Structure formats: C-alpha cells, structure tokens
Amino acid sequence: MKFSVAQRAILIAAFGMAAVAPAQATDDRAEIQALLARVKALEAKVAKQDAVARRSKAGEAPTLFVKGPAPEPVGEDSFHFKGLTITPGGFIALESIRRSNWLGADINTPFQNIPYGFQPAGHTDEFRFSARQSRLALKVKGDLDPLNHITGYVETDFLGAAQTANSNQSNSYNLRMRQFWWNVDNDTYGLHFSAGQTWSLATTNSVGTKIDSYLTPPTIDAQYLPGFFWSRQPGVRISKDFNKEFWVAFSAEGSAQTWAGTPALISNNPGWVGGPFSSVTTSSALWPAGYAGPFVTAAPAGGGLFNAANNYSFNRMPDFIGKAAWDVPYLPDRKLHIEGFGIVRDFTDRSLWGNQHAWGGGGGGSVILEVVPKLLDVQAQGVVGRGIGRYGVLNDAAISVSGAPLPITERFLLVGATLHPTSQTDIYGFYGGEFQNKNAQYYGANVGGVTRLVVGGYGSPYYSNWGCNAENEFAGAATPAPFTGTACSGNIKDVRQATGGIWHTFYAGPAGKIKAGLQYSYTWKDGFWSYLGGASSGHDSMILTSFRYYPFD
C-alpha cells in the first residue's frame, strides 16, 4: 500500500509543524529528505502489515516453500485504466486421468460413452496427462455513473480441438471461449442486465441469480459428473433483486438438440411375437422407397463460420428459462440458498417431406446449506422434464414411429457435501445420476400381406441387446437366426456416479496460490432391458490428479 500525494503532503506538514521553531535555522533540504525517508518507512511498514493480513486471511502456511523472510508484496490484485478496474485471473494446470476403460477422451469424460462389454475398448485402460484445462481470464469493472455499474468478463481454456489438433508429437490444441459477457447493475431498482456467453441461468447459483456466482462441483473432471444440470451458451438475461435477498430472473439462451438414433430392424421371424402378429420391425423399415428417413441435423452451408465437418440441429427459437432464488437469513453466521427454475424448449425435424415440431421443458431446484460455519457445506439439486438431456450427458429426444420428435422424459439428481477441516484443505463427496424413462411405441401394420408389429420410440424391449456384453463374438455380426438386426442397439436407461476428492492449498500469498487435487470416481451406465439379451451395463473407475498455480489469486 502506498500513500497518495495528498497523504504525503499532510504527513510532511505535520512533521514540519512539530519542528517549526527549532528547525528554521537548519538546512531545509536535508529536513525534507529526512521527512520523506520517514514517510517511506511508514509505507513499507503498512505494506508488510497488509501482506501479513492477506496471508492470514487466505490461510497461508508461511514456512511451506518459503525460506527466510516473507517476500515483499508486488502490488494490488487489480490495476486501473481510464476509470476501469481490471483484474486478471486463471490458473496453470498439469492434470492426469486414469480410466479402467478406454474412452479416447481428455480431462473431460463423456460418461454416456462408457463402453459395454462387446467393445474391445471396454477391456483396456487409459491414461492421459493434460495441461489443456489451464485457464486465462480477465474481468473489467467500471461505473457508468454513481448508480449504474458495468462489468465485462472473458474466460478461456485450451480444450478446443480443431481438425489439426493432435496428441502425437506437437500436442497442439486451440484456445476455446468459455465465457464472454458484459453486465450492468442498477442500484436504484436492483435491476441487472447481461448479454454474451455465460453459464446458463439453469445452472445453480450460490448468491441470488448473479451472473458470476455459478456453483460447479469441485471435481477435476471437466465434465463434472452426471446429475449436474448445466450449459454454457450465448444469451441475454435480465434479473431483479429485492434487498439482495430475493431474486427473479429470465433469460433467452442459444439452443441445440441432441438425438438418440433409431435402432435397426429387430426380427422377421414369424411367430416371434405370437398372437395376430407374424413379425416385428421398426418403423424405419416401412418408410417409402427412396426416403432417407427423418432429418434432425444438417451440415452447415459454406461461409457461415460453422465447421463443415460437424452437423447442427434445426433450431427455431432459443431456450427460455425463468428462475427465482432466495438467500435466506437462516442464522446470522450461516448461509442458506434456495432456488427454483423452469425451462421451455422446442424440437423440430424434417420428416416425410414436412416439418414436425414438439415442445419440451421442465423444472427443478437447488439448495445450498452451510451446516457448520466454515466447516461443512451441503448441496442438492433435482430436475425433471422432457427433452432436457443436453443439459447433462444424455440425449434430448428420439424419433417417434410417425417420424415426429419424441422428447425423452428425464430426471436429474445431485447431492454432495464439502468439508473444510482447515483453511487450506477441502474434502468433498458427491453422488449424481441421470435417469431416462422408457417411451416405447407400438402399432400394427399390414405390409405386403404380412401383419407386422411396428415398434419405435425410446427404450423398447424389442431393441436388441444380444451382443452388448460379449467381446467381439457378436460385435460385427447380425443377431443370430431366427432374429435379425444389430448386435447391441438398445437405448441408455441411466448414468450414475459416486465421486470424492481433496484439494489442498500449499501456498497462498502475494505470489498467488499453489493447489493440488486428487479425485476418485466410479460410474455406472445401464441400458434398458430387452427381450433379446436382457440388460446391458458398463462401468468405469477413474483416478484424477491436478497441480495448479493461480498467479492472480
């Protein structure tokens, strides 16, 4: 901390007034220099006291990594430019992950792709080192006037993977935009407006609906864990707070749809079903000749700044989200945060030469409770709806037997606790899961004089699980006679995970923070039961480590 010009002038005047009479005969220049030296000494003393206070607040262990006297502070956490306060952020990370099944994934785990037993990848493990979660961030704050305040924020990492990205020799991965938004706060009416790319309003907040108070599980895995309801996407948001305790907010956010594939033909065996039906088939087998089937995505047109190697879903409108949050004055020394939200979505496909639509959406809520101040926090979240899978790890919708979109009913659950045994250590444990409902469809059809039971929808027991759990034996072959179809075509029923870990801060002071983390997780993936092959399941055991340096904290 340094004294301003005015503060220096006051100190010099005070010292000078105390010595006016006897000092008039002395050399004025020598006296001024002596007074300036005393001011410098006071500045150094105050700066040291500030550094000690900051280290004490951060819980620094001053003897760890530090030999001799503590280093002098190098300056403030922020700097100023044209009336703006600019604060850098981010961290440098080296992380690792070891999986019991090979997924071909970096530090983020696609939990829905945990292999079943028929896949060779399900019988070999995987290890990765990664520095790609290293993060760069910058926050800019300023005052438009005494009652209106503006904030801008950008945050990036290196988890992008362009066509030239590789892990073979150069380990080249591109910078990726995580967040890029601006926000205006009005003190008079408690209004807040933001625009840009940020965490979805549906993501749990820790304070009201503040745009920068999102609460993520403390996992090393960049995909967090199943059951965590989240997205980062562009949009616009407006919110209102009532005395900083009760908040309401509404947002319109960029949308996308993810789709479950349509299983292939199940059986052509007369008598397989019994009763009036002589065979079973999926509706895709009855589509008109030359018809390629419903379209749910398409490649982008050239020149639109989308990657031509990817397909994009048909979007007619944004996702609309509303939320209410209450920061309850539970006890003077404890925190209780409660929130609830609702979401509305639209699904579109192109089927039988026409556009077909379906509405989806749902709602849920979260609770964060400080059970023991500065020692134990617990949190829980639950969400239920139709067509909300992309906010987790599963799909939004399937194709109905008519070719129209069929939003899948899904439930999210997340519970967890974080223990703070010391100011330097956090120990956490979480359980999360995503559970999708079966929505199988059936109807009878006469095709070429053959009465068939046509099946479709999501989770039908007629979809084959014959080869899901046997390595190679059925992987490349059709289901054995008298049945036909693919060896493992059933849909996913649920994905669940139990995880726990520890973070420890080895150093916190004027040079930033040094932290290390260790996480273990066990994940279950289950398919729906089938008449042909029973149930299918996959499992993965993972160990993750992280070593991070936060130079700006």
Side-chain angles (χ1 to χ4, degrees), residues 330-341:
Y330 172 58
L331 287 174
D333 60 343
R334 302 183 191 185
K335 175 182 177 180
L336 173 60
H337 173 87
I338 303 172
E339 64 178 50
F341 74 90

Side-chain angles (χ1 to χ4, degrees), residues 136-502:
L136 301 172
L138 192 71
K139 179 178 284 188
V140 180
K141 301 188 73 171
D143 296 325
L144 302 178
D145 56 49
L147 298 177
N148 294 281
H149 320 284
I150 191 167
T151 302
Y153 184 71
V154 58
E155 180 182 82
T156 66
D157 62 24
F158 294 85
L159 290 172
Q163 297 298 307
T164 56
N166 74 90
S167 292
N168 297 327
Q169 187 175 33
S170 63
N171 283 279
S172 305
Y173 292 92
N174 51 291
L175 197 67
R176 180 182 74 156
M177 181 172 68
R178 289 172 56 90
Q179 299 189 75
F180 214 146
W181 51 262
W182 62 275
N183 176 78
V184 172
D185 300 306
N186 175 268
D187 293 339
T188 304
Y189 301 105
L191 292 174
H192 316 272
F193 174 85
S194 63
Q197 177 162 307
T198 183
W199 291 82
S200 171
L201 180 60
T203 307
T204 299
N205 293 101
S206 59
V207 178
T209 60
K210 289 186 62 176
I211 191 172
D212 58 354
S213 72
Y214 55 87
L215 182 66
T216 63
T219 58
I220 299 171
D221 198 312
Q223 192 61 39
Y224 309 104
L225 74 157
F228 177 47
F229 197 90
W230 70 279
S231 180
R232 287 191 303 269
Q233 52 203 16
V236 61
R237 178 188 307 186
I238 186 168
S239 61
K240 157 76 175 169
D241 76 77
F242 299 87
N243 198 32
K244 303 296 183 182
E245 288 185 2
F246 187 77
W247 305 64
V248 292
F250 175 81
S251 69
E253 303 179 8
S255 183
Q257 292 85 47
T258 57
W259 298 82
T262 302
L265 186 68
I266 305 303
S267 173
N268 262 336
N269 176 43
W272 151 237
V273 180
F277 300 106
S278 58
S279 63
V280 180
T281 187
T282 57
S283 56
S284 59
L286 306 183
W287 290 333
Y291 174 60
F295 290 91
V296 296
T297 62
L305 298 182
F306 278 145
N307 192 322
N310 299 326
N311 287 328
Y312 294 83
S313 59
F314 299 144
N315 301 337
R316 291 195 311 152
M317 60 183 65
D319 290 352
F320 296 105
I321 302 172
K323 178 186 276 190
W326 187 23
D327 294 312
V328 185
Y330 172 58
L331 287 174
D333 60 343
R334 302 183 191 185
K335 175 182 177 180
L336 173 60
H337 173 87
I338 303 172
E339 64 178 50
F341 74 90
I343 181 171
V344 175
R345 309 192 63 207
D346 171 78
F347 296 90
T348 299
D349 72 6
R350 181 74 178 174
S351 177
L352 295 173
W353 302 280
N355 295 330
Q356 301 202 54
H357 309 285
W359 290 100
S366 301
V367 175
I368 305 168
L369 173 62
E370 190 177 24
V371 179
V372 181
K374 299 181 180 180
L375 180 62
L376 178 63
D377 307 322
V378 298
Q379 65 184 88
Q381 181 185 48
V383 185
V384 63
R386 297 175 65 248
I388 57 176
R390 85 168 179 96
Y391 285 84
V393 301
L394 299 178
N395 289 312
D396 287 322
I399 303 296
S400 71
V401 292
S402 67
L406 182 67
I408 302 167
T409 299
E410 182 171 348
R411 304 178 307 281
F412 286 70
L413 174 66
L414 179 71
V415 292
T418 304
L419 180 69
H420 316 282
T422 73
S423 58
Q424 298 169 272
T425 305
D426 293 330
I427 301 173
Y428 62 88
F430 279 76
Y431 172 82
E434 300 178 26
F435 310 87
Q436 295 198 320
N437 286 8
K438 178 171 62 177
N439 191 353
Q441 298 177 321
Y442 311 91
Y443 70 94
N446 189 301
V447 182
V450 178
T451 303
R452 294 184 175 183
L453 176 64
V454 179
V455 301
Y458 191 79
S460 172
Y462 291 102
Y463 296 162
S464 174
N465 288 338
W466 175 261
C468 288
N469 299 314
E471 183 183 6
N472 290 327
E473 186 174 355
F474 305 115
T479 304
F483 309 105
T484 61
T486 56
C488 186
S489 58
N491 298 128
I492 299 175
K493 178 183 178 183
D494 60 67
V495 179
R496 298 166 289 142
Q497 184 183 101
T499 189
I502 182 171

